[in-house]
Amino acid sequence: MHYILNGQLGERAGVVGKLEEFCRANALPRGVGNAADVALEEHLTNVLTYGYEAGAPHRISVSLKTEAGWLCVEVADDGKPFDPLAVSPVDTSLPLEEKPIGGLGVHLMRQLMDELSYARENGKNVLRMRKRIAAD
Amino acid sequence: MNIQEVAQGDVHELVVSGRVDGDGANQLEVALLKTIAAGAKHITVEMSEATFLCSAGLRALLQYWRQMQNKGGSLQVSNPSPEASTLLNTSGFKEMLIQRT
């Protein structure tokens, strides 16, 4: 499954719709679908917020596939170089009084997906995420 | 996303259903501000029908949890859906949860 975001209206909802369709077609457990849903939401928000100047055109491709018991998600964007895996981890053990507000996006991606890798390839940021397909 | 509000005196419940994504978190924040302006001291965010939660929603919850705490009130989350529950637990937000029978 491939989906391109290039500035069309409702493209974020389009990603969610495609993912739901893919999960249904492949009978993926709810938790696996949710992990990918959250990871995509966080990553696309970061890419669109930090990867491009306001109003600049973007082209981001999202691909989904299953492979030998894994759900594989790949996101490639033509924005500024940005390695989400270089973001420092957050300390979730801090009590609510002391937690920093924000910065949880990449943490959630790491926690919910099993494997993440980043590469700068042909002028694009490519993030590959994998989640083992296991029952809830 | 949809938010329904039930108020009894200064105890307010916000029943959130659907996706608490970036836009949803903004809606939640508007609803929380409105509730606080209406005099709520104790706020419960009911999330049994919240099918999606992400860092934007967590940020809104934490910000208003702290605000209510600082003025001697409270903000709690009740009955989170499996999705919301996973996110709250993964982020160390368990303190915010209440269990109801």
Side-chain angles (χ1 to χ4, degrees):
Chain A
M1 200 290 300
H2 292 276
Y3 187 82
I4 304 287
L5 295 88
N6 53 9
Q8 74 271 28
L9 209 63
E11 60 186 10
R12 296 295 297 276
V15 174
V16 175
K18 279 285 179 190
L19 174 64
E20 276 173 9
E21 205 179 291
F22 183 84
C23 289
R24 239 190 339 266
N26 291 279
L28 296 183
R30 198 167 153 179
V32 174
N34 184 54
D37 198 353
V38 173
L40 277 170
E41 169 77 21
E42 300 296 351
H43 185 59
L44 291 173
T45 297
N46 283 340
V47 166
L48 288 164
T49 308
Y50 304 114
Y52 298 90
E53 301 300 335
H58 61 257
R59 186 182 168 86
I60 306 170
S61 72
V62 176
S63 345
L64 301 170
K65 63 176 181 185
T66 57
E67 196 178 69
W70 292 84
L71 167 63
C72 310
V73 181
E74 185 180 302
V75 181
D77 69 80
D78 60 358
K80 284 179 254 181
F82 168 62
D83 176 3
L85 306 183
V87 173
S88 334
V90 294
D91 181 0
T92 53
S93 69
L94 287 173
L96 293 175
E97 289 85 358
E98 292 165 31
K99 271 188 205 305
I101 293 196
L104 276 173
V106 174
H107 166 79
L108 292 173
M109 288 159 58
R110 287 181 196 272
Q111 291 295 312
L112 296 176
M113 301 301 284
D114 294 310
E115 291 176 3
L116 294 96
S117 70
Y118 167 84
R120 184 81 183 165
E121 292 175 2
N122 305 316
K124 290 187 171 166
N125 297 300
V126 183
L127 182 72
R128 296 185 176 91
M129 304 185 277
R130 303 211 306 160
K131 175 82 178 169
R132 195 183 290 282
I133 300 171
D136 290 335
Chain B
M1 197 191 78
N2 191 35
I3 302 180
Q4 275 194 313
E5 191 181 340
V6 187
Q8 281 187 319
D10 60 6
V11 180
H12 291 228
E13 185 181 46
L14 296 178
V15 182
V16 175
S17 54
R19 290 179 69 84
V20 190
D21 51 14
D23 289 340
N26 291 338
Q27 279 184 58
L28 175 61
E29 185 163 1
V30 169
L32 284 166
L33 281 169
K34 219 176 98 195
T35 304
I36 294 167
K41 280 205 76 173
H42 303 284
I43 302 173
T44 303
V45 182
E46 208 278 352
M47 301 192 86
S48 62
E49 300 292 326
T51 52
F52 179 86
L53 180 62
C54 66
S55 66
L58 292 171
R59 183 163 50 231
L61 289 171
L62 179 57
Q63 189 176 336
Y64 291 93
W65 179 89
R66 218 170 262 174
Q67 195 181 115
M68 296 309 289
Q69 201 77 3
N70 287 342
K71 47 189 202 180
S74 67
L75 183 152
Q76 291 180 296
V77 173
S78 70
N79 302 328
S81 65
E83 286 80 9
S85 184
T86 299
L87 273 277
L88 289 161
N89 290 331
T90 305
S91 313
F93 278 51
K94 274 183 209 164
E95 254 181 274
M96 220 178 257
L97 289 172
I98 44 170
Q99 298 300 326
R100 287 193 311 187
T101 49

